[in-house]
Amino acid sequence: MTVPASMRNRLGSSWVPDALTLLGILAYGLLSFGQASAQVSVLDEGLYLYKGLLFARGDYIPFQAYGPLTNHMPLSFLIPGWVQLVWGEGIRTGRFFALAMGVVMMILLWRTTRREASPWWSAAAVWAVAFNPALVKIYSQAISQVLVATLLMGILYLGLGRSRNLWQTTAAAALAGALWMTRINMLLVLPLLLAYLWLTHGRRAGIAATISGGAVVALGHAIYWPGILKLWAKWLPAQLTPFLDSFRITNGGTEAWSTRVSGGSARGIVVDAIRKHFLPVAGGIWAWICYPGKGATSDERQRTRDAVFLSLLLLVLAGIHTYATLGLTYCPFCLANYFGFFSPIGLVLMALAGAHWLPKLNRPRRFVSLGFLLLFPVLASVNLGGSVVDSLLSLQVPRMSLSAVRPGTIELGNLLGSSLGVTRSDVERWVSVGMAVAVLLCLTILGVAALWRGRLLRLQPGLRPAVIGLLAIVLATSSIRFGNTYAEYDCGLDVIRAQEEAGAYLRSKIDPGARVYWGVGQSPAPLLYLDQPRIFPPQLNGTYTFRIGGDPSELGRFSHWNQALASEWLAAADFALVDVGSYEGWIVSALDSAHYDQIRRSPATNPCEADSAIMIFRRITPQE
């Protein structure tokens, strides 16, 4: 039976790439499930979850004096807090909300690139995320990166392109306003979007978008006025905004946490961020290498406008976050994480150029552009050979059995070895040989074809899959190779269960409503499981809000603390919680007295670190 040409075209242009894309989203979901269980809870994650719960329950309000430090816009805390009110308190809810947001972000990425580019390029964009272990890990934690990336992709899905309705552009601007009220570092998305919508859709759509986006921002500021000015006072230069001085700490002593990096270290941090976001960065650069010049048709001019908008977003956000990490002293090693806020923009730009600009290039320019993608891994210092195989086999994948996917992760090499009944070294040897054979086969086919035709640059349509396959292998392995260096929070065991067991133990030992001194220098996620503890909120950020010296009253009002406040709070506490790493100095002598009774410490909050248990000290009352 002969398949009609029209059906073959439909299968080749839609069904196959869409199925491949859905497979990529499924692969992301499985990888994210494994990482959601297997990554250690970081301080920021615990802060988003616990502060969010306190705000959502109404125990405190954002920017409240003497309350938890609201160092980001309110929605970054309130959204995870509201989610916990609905689905239950704890890190499990937070991690699975992150997983769900990641899947939604992937669907939005697919639908946006499919509409504005092509089905095949949408598949490439989706797999670019799934093939990047760093992005999967970043988006699998209950931190604001995945929430921001999802909102950003929602904005592009609704607002990018000419064929958008008024309600879509208006909703895109409202989402951009919500993004502003989630993270202040994303505030420029709204004005850039408004400028794009005015140019693309005209006055009517521009006015509606300005009203909707501005209303969301204005409403958010009105609700938390004037306390929200504390956040603006932190980021705006004091010399230019003396009217905000009353919202700044003026007698706060010296910051205990301050980090500066050398020029060489700064360059290394930037290179590391580029490597961990290899395909989004490479795709953004490659798009403009493919630029064919200003087109004559309205569609071509619109695509150029789209690409300029996406490029401005990418460059402006990269510049802001590079300055925030390297120009300030708060977190210079956070740049790779911060790129996760906006990394998918580069993939949308890549798909747009690949679908519409690449086919218009003449042969020499086409080969130059594809040659860039082949050479970029070398420029980014990838060590081809054994290190690629090692990176592939050390990739963390979900633990799987014949019946189910289990929590936690295992290295791909160990999974293959146990499944096949061979050693890890055997797997490494077989994979190395297989990769070498595949590459040599592709090169041989290309070489024979070139000699046979006598024209190196004139590839026949039948050989294009070999070229695309070779390019895909290089880019995929490079992305895995670079992304697999993000191992700071790897554990591999069931971290969620460990946190829940530690939290349940603390709940059994600490009385409901008790005053709790939090002297733990790690994620405050275990506090989620206690029964309405009365905490000292400035402690939650640990060293990052601790000051040497300063006026205790002023520090407390701005959600900071010093040694005087620490001593005062410990004296008022019913229980003191301290981890092994923080049990040193004055706290040792203060707790080693007749006023405290040490209870058996909790189970480890990190199953990969025995010293992550929490020490429990109970104040002995006179009645005892």
Side-chain angles (χ1 to χ4, degrees):
M1 179 178 177
T2 303
V3 179
S6 59
M7 182 177 294
R8 289 200 303 270
N9 291 337
R10 285 197 298 272
L11 289 175
S13 63
S14 179
W15 185 86
V16 174
D18 284 348
L20 188 63
T21 303
L22 291 172
L23 186 62
I25 296 174
L26 176 62
Y28 170 85
L30 290 174
L31 291 169
S32 182
F33 173 79
Q35 296 300 339
S37 305
Q39 288 192 90
V40 176
S41 182
V42 298
L43 178 66
D44 282 359
E45 178 177 56
L47 292 175
Y48 284 121
L49 292 174
Y50 189 58
K51 288 182 184 179
L53 183 63
L54 294 177
F55 292 149
R57 276 195 321 222
D59 297 346
Y60 298 91
I61 60 173
F63 307 105
Q64 177 181 335
Y66 305 101
L69 178 68
T70 315
N71 53 324
H72 301 300
M73 281 294 188
L75 288 181
S76 64
F77 299 107
L78 286 169
I79 291 175
W82 291 331
V83 169
Q84 289 179 90
L85 288 184
V86 174
W87 296 105
E89 303 163 5
I91 192 172
R92 185 178 298 273
T93 297
R95 289 280 176 96
F96 281 90
F97 175 66
L99 190 158
M101 284 290 97
V103 171
V104 171
M105 185 270 295
M106 293 285 278
I107 294 173
L108 291 170
L109 175 63
W110 166 38
R111 301 309 297 175
T112 303
T113 50
R114 191 186 191 283
R115 183 189 70 218
E116 301 301 327
S118 72
W120 279 108
W121 278 100
S122 68
V126 164
W127 277 100
V129 178
F131 272 132
N132 189 333
L135 276 177
V136 174
K137 291 178 182 179
I138 290 171
Y139 293 151
S140 300
Q141 292 181 303
I143 52 180
S144 58
Q145 270 79 352
V146 68
L147 176 59
V148 166
T150 304
L151 289 172
L152 192 54
M153 286 312 307
I155 292 167
L156 296 183
Y157 174 70
L158 291 169
L160 185 66
R162 188 171 61 179
S163 58
R164 304 290 88 208
N165 297 324
L166 180 63
W167 76 265
Q168 292 173 318
T169 56
T170 304
L175 274 183
L179 182 62
W180 182 330
M181 295 308 299
T182 301
R183 291 283 306 211
I184 196 172
N185 49 295
M186 304 299 290
L187 67 92
L188 289 181
V189 172
L190 178 58
L192 288 173
L193 175 68
L194 293 178
Y196 168 79
L197 294 178
W198 275 83
L199 289 172
T200 301
H201 298 281
R203 183 169 176 269
R204 180 167 174 252
I207 291 175
T210 302
I211 292 173
S212 66
V216 173
V217 175
L219 179 62
H221 281 71
I223 292 173
Y224 299 108
W225 190 270
I228 196 171
L229 292 177
K230 292 180 181 178
L231 190 57
W232 287 106
K234 173 186 175 182
W235 291 108
L236 295 177
Q239 299 86 348
L240 301 179
T241 55
F243 54 88
L244 292 178
D245 284 348
S246 61
F247 297 93
R248 295 186 174 100
I249 301 176
T250 56
N251 188 19
T254 305
E255 292 181 352
W257 177 263
S258 179
T259 304
R260 288 284 186 186
V261 295
S262 64
S265 297
R267 287 191 295 273
I269 290 170
V270 172
V271 170
D272 180 64
I274 292 173
R275 288 172 177 170
K276 286 185 170 66
H277 300 269
F278 166 69
L279 279 177
V281 173
I285 299 172
W286 176 74
W288 287 104
I289 295 176
C290 295
Y291 182 56
K294 187 177 180 180
T297 68
S298 60
D299 285 343
E300 290 169 338
R301 290 192 296 270
Q302 178 60 44
R303 290 190 194 103
T304 299
R305 190 179 294 120
D306 295 344
V308 170
F309 168 59
L310 293 171
S311 299
L312 282 176
L313 276 179
L314 197 60
L315 290 172
V316 168
L317 293 175
I320 288 174
H321 290 87
T322 301
Y323 169 73
T325 51
L326 302 181
L328 304 177
T329 62
Y330 186 74
C331 189
F333 297 99
C334 292
L335 187 59
N337 260 38
Y338 287 172
F339 268 38
F341 286 126
F342 53 87
S343 189
I345 297 174
L347 300 177
V348 179
L349 187 57
M350 175 189 72
L352 191 71
H356 300 295
W357 289 354
L358 182 62
K360 296 180 181 179
L361 301 182
N362 56 35
R363 288 194 184 94
R365 282 199 63 192
R366 191 176 300 177
F367 272 80
V368 167
S369 69
L370 295 177
F372 166 79
L373 291 178
L374 289 171
L375 289 175
F376 194 78
V378 179
L379 298 175
S381 302
V382 66
N383 181 14
L384 298 175
S387 63
V388 174
V389 174
D390 182 66
S391 293
L392 288 172
L393 295 181
S394 63
L395 185 66
Q396 297 285 328
V397 297
R399 295 178 181 271
M400 290 184 253
S401 62
L402 293 176
S403 59
V405 178
R406 295 181 291 165
T409 59
I410 184 174
E411 289 190 0
L412 178 60
N414 293 336
L415 179 63
L416 291 174
S418 61
S419 300
L420 299 173
V422 298
T423 64
R424 171 70 176 261
S425 59
D426 289 334
V427 174
E428 292 178 359
R429 183 166 58 253
W430 293 349
V431 172
S432 299
V433 171
M435 289 184 63
V437 169
V439 172
L440 287 174
L441 183 60
C442 288
L443 293 176
T444 300
I445 293 173
L446 293 176
V448 170
L451 292 173
W452 178 50
R453 298 297 302 175
R455 298 176 184 178
L456 181 61
L457 297 181
R458 184 167 179 142
L459 295 176
Q460 297 302 302
L463 296 176
R464 287 174 187 166
V467 178
I468 295 172
L470 177 61
L471 183 63
I473 289 173
V474 172
L475 295 179
T477 54
S478 300
S479 185
I480 294 173
R481 167 74 176 92
F482 289 136
N484 208 24
T485 60
Y486 187 89
E488 290 84 350
Y489 311 116
D490 285 357
C491 175
L493 302 178
D494 194 343
V495 172
I496 294 178
R497 181 177 178 182
Q499 287 277 344
E500 290 174 338
E501 290 178 349
Y505 180 81
L506 292 175
R507 184 186 180 97
S508 69
K509 300 299 181 182
I510 296 177
D511 301 330
R515 288 188 175 274
V516 176
Y517 179 93
W518 180 253
V520 179
Q522 55 188 354
S523 169
L527 291 174
L528 293 165
Y529 303 95
L530 303 189
D531 188 359
Q532 298 286 331
R534 289 181 292 165
I535 60 168
F536 304 98
Q539 283 192 300
L540 294 175
N541 284 72
T543 306
Y544 296 99
T545 50
F546 189 82
R547 297 291 186 105
I548 301 171
D551 176 30
S553 177
E554 182 174 353
L555 288 175
R557 185 162 56 89
F558 283 92
S559 303
H560 286 64
W561 58 308
N562 61 7
Q563 183 58 54
L565 286 173
S567 300
E568 176 185 329
W569 293 339
L570 182 63
D574 302 308
F575 292 85
L577 303 180
V578 186
D579 64 320
V580 175
S582 304
Y583 190 61
E584 58 184 6
W586 73 277
I587 196 74
V588 176
S589 57
L591 293 174
D592 188 18
S593 69
H595 297 293
Y596 297 93
D597 176 29
Q598 183 175 0
I599 304 172
R600 181 182 176 184
R601 64 184 62 179
S602 74
T605 58
N606 174 6
C608 294
E609 184 179 337
D611 286 345
S612 63
I614 297 176
M615 306 169 70
I616 308 172
F617 295 87
R618 181 184 60 182
R619 173 172 289 278
I620 302 174
T621 63
Q623 287 77 13
E624 292 181 298

